[in-house]
């Protein structure tokens, strides 16, 4: 019998043994999944070899076509990416020592610093929960109104029913959230090597970024549970101490316990939303692309005749985003060509103010250096014309 099975047998003894069993099974599941994916006899080792070959081939093609040059600025990020992917995708020691310990231990260590706990903050919090629930059970046994008496009594409207309902809500908001976060974190860590390999290519890098964001969100969830739950337990202790009034349950204390349990559940829901908002704005060390809200919208620029100069100036003064470039009037005595089909010119400026338009200067075409292995030169900042 394995050590995890021994912990599972004793999981019903309290919150602490239950969390220990979940952690043990999560670690064992992640290790077995890593071995089946990219271990010595892993099923995805041929796929990893093919992906690495494609990565080197694409880099060679970019060198031949001139899109990349040999240099420290070009080779350093690629070599670092390749080395990190190979390390974390093929070595369980490195993956467990960095990714697993960082996601599991960092939140617990930070919670211990915030709460002033010596050792594991999660274990200390689980011990406090055991004391609370044992006190509630002892109060129910002392008054002779246990869970069996609720079924034949007045129901949930009675003080006894309110007390047990508050205990269940508090149990779900603490132990339930902790266990759910640990299981979700174990699943993400088990499939992590696949998403680490996807970080090689730009087309699949978004999947790696999403996986890393989900990993961070599930890792900080126990931090909110432990720190927020520690504050909640300080409010619960005096209420639990005042539940028993002789042979009956104190209704006022039961209602207060129910209110605190509901507030803690609402706090956990809010913490989940806050965690999602926090990781949504994370660019993941620059790997995440710029969001649509942060992109500068294109500003249309219209070339108008000289007569509409006053109207264009008034529109720009009113705050319009459309910019108008006034074309010079024809010289006196010059022959005016016959009006052709209705046409107009429109230019879209992506960033920066619109440059001055000079019709006497020709538009310079984009240039690039000739020769295999040279880089493409950047196109000059000229206005691009689109004829409709």
């Amino acid at each position: 019998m394995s050590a995890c099975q021994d912990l599972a047998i004793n999981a019903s003894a309290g919150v602490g043994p239950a969390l220990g069993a979940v952690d043990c099974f999560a670690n064992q599941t992640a290790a077995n999944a890593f071995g089946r994916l990219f271990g010595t006899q892993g099923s995805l080792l041929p796929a990893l070899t093919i992906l690495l070959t494609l990565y080197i081939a694409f880099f060679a093609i970019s060198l031949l076509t001139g899109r990349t040059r040999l240099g420290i600025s070009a080779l350093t990020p690629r070599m670092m990416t390749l080395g990190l992917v190979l390390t974390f995708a093929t070595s369980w020691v490195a993956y467990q020592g960095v990714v697993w310990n960082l996601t599991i231990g960092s939140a617990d260590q930070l919670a211990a610093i915030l709460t002033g706990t010596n050792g594991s903050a999660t274990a200390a919090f689980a011990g406090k929960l055991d004391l609370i629930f044992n006190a509630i059970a002892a109060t129910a046994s002392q008054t002779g109104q246990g869970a069996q008496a609720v079924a034949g009594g007045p129901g949930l409207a009675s003080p006894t029913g309110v007390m047990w309902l508050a205990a269940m809500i508090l149990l779900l908001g603490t132990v339930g959230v902790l266990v759910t976060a640990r299981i979700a974190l174990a699943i993400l860590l088990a499939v992590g090597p696949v998403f680490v390999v996807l970080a090689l290519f730009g087309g699949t890098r978004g999947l790696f970024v999403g996986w890393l964001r989900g990993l961070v969100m599930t890792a900080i969830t126990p931090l909110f549970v432990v720190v927020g739950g520690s504050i909640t337990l300080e409010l619960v202790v005096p209420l639990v101490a005042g539940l028993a009034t002789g042979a009956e349950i104190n209704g006022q204390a039961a209602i207060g316990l129910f209110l605190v349990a509901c507030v803690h559940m609402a706090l956990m829901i809010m913490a989940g939303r806050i965690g999602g908002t926090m990781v949504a704005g994370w660019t993941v060390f620059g790997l995440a692309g710029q969001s649509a809200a942060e992109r500068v919208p294109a500003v249309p620029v219209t070339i108008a005749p000289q007569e509409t100069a006053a109207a264009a100036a008034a529109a720009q003064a009113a705050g319009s985003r459309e910019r108008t470039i006034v074309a010079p009037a024809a010289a006196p005595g010059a022959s005016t060509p016959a009006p052709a089909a209705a046409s107009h010119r429109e230019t879209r400026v992506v960033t920066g103010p619109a440059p001055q338009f000079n019709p006497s200067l020709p538009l310079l075409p984009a240039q690039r250096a000739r020769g295999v292995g040279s880089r493409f030169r950047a196109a000059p900042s000229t206005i691009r014309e689109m004829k409709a």
Side-chain angles (χ1 to χ4, degrees):
M1 183 179 295
S2 63
C4 293
Q5 292 178 351
D6 294 337
L7 292 176
I9 294 175
N10 299 324
S12 60
V15 179
L19 292 178
V22 171
D23 289 341
C24 182
F25 278 111
N27 193 0
Q28 184 178 1
T29 301
N32 294 335
F34 189 94
R36 295 188 184 99
L37 290 175
F38 298 110
T40 307
Q41 303 295 330
S43 302
L44 295 183
L45 278 179
L48 179 61
T49 304
I50 294 173
L51 289 177
L52 293 177
T53 304
L54 290 176
Y55 182 77
I56 301 298
F58 289 157
F59 180 62
I61 292 173
S62 63
L63 287 176
L64 292 176
T65 56
R67 297 182 181 274
T68 306
R69 63 179 179 180
L70 290 175
I72 296 178
S73 60
L75 290 178
T76 301
R78 294 178 179 271
M79 295 300 102
M80 288 184 61
T81 302
L82 187 61
L84 291 175
V85 168
L86 284 177
T87 300
F88 291 120
T90 58
S91 174
W92 168 248
V93 176
Y95 187 79
Q96 184 187 29
V98 177
V99 181
W100 177 271
N101 292 337
L102 192 62
T103 53
I104 296 293
S106 59
D108 190 26
Q109 183 68 25
L110 185 58
I113 295 174
L114 293 176
T115 57
T117 305
N118 295 325
S120 176
T122 305
F125 179 69
K128 294 179 182 179
L129 287 176
D130 287 333
L131 294 177
I132 294 295
F133 294 128
N134 290 334
I136 293 176
T139 301
S141 301
Q142 179 182 354
T143 58
Q145 298 178 3
Q148 295 81 4
V150 177
L156 295 179
S158 64
T160 304
V162 173
M163 181 191 68
W164 284 111
L165 183 60
M168 291 298 104
I169 294 176
L170 187 62
L171 184 66
L172 290 176
T174 53
V175 182
V177 177
L178 279 175
V179 173
T180 303
R182 293 296 177 87
I183 294 176
L185 189 60
I187 296 174
L188 288 174
L189 290 172
V191 299
V194 177
F195 290 94
V196 170
V197 174
L198 295 180
L200 285 173
F201 305 97
T204 58
R205 196 165 293 154
L207 295 173
F208 169 75
V209 170
W211 170 78
L212 197 57
R213 285 176 174 174
L215 194 68
V216 173
M217 187 181 69
T218 52
I220 63 177
T221 299
L223 173 65
F224 290 108
V225 175
V226 173
V227 176
S230 299
I231 301 175
T232 304
L233 293 184
E234 296 297 329
L235 303 175
V236 167
V237 170
L239 294 174
V240 174
L243 282 175
T245 55
E248 296 181 354
I249 300 294
N250 188 354
Q252 185 176 1
I255 293 175
L257 180 62
F258 177 76
L259 178 61
V260 172
C262 292
V263 168
H264 180 76
M265 180 61 73
L267 177 64
M268 291 300 100
I269 296 175
M270 185 182 299
R273 296 177 62 89
I274 291 174
T277 305
M278 289 170 58
V279 299
W282 184 30
T283 59
V284 192
F285 312 110
L287 296 178
Q290 192 178 20
S291 61
E294 296 175 352
R295 298 191 184 100
V296 180
V299 180
V301 178
T302 306
I303 299 177
Q306 185 75 23
E307 292 79 5
T308 60
Q316 293 179 5
S320 176
R321 296 189 61 86
E322 183 175 354
R323 297 178 180 177
T324 305
I325 299 177
V326 181
S335 59
T336 303
S343 64
H344 69 278
R345 293 179 180 179
E346 184 179 354
T347 305
R348 293 186 177 274
V349 180
V350 178
T351 57
Q356 297 294 330
F357 179 75
N358 191 353
S360 63
L361 296 178
L363 295 176
L364 299 178
Q367 299 179 357
R368 70 179 179 90
R370 296 180 179 180
V372 177
S374 59
R375 296 185 63 189
F376 286 94
R377 294 179 181 175
S381 57
T382 58
I383 299 178
R384 296 180 285 112
E385 297 184 358
M386 296 181 291
K387 294 184 179 181

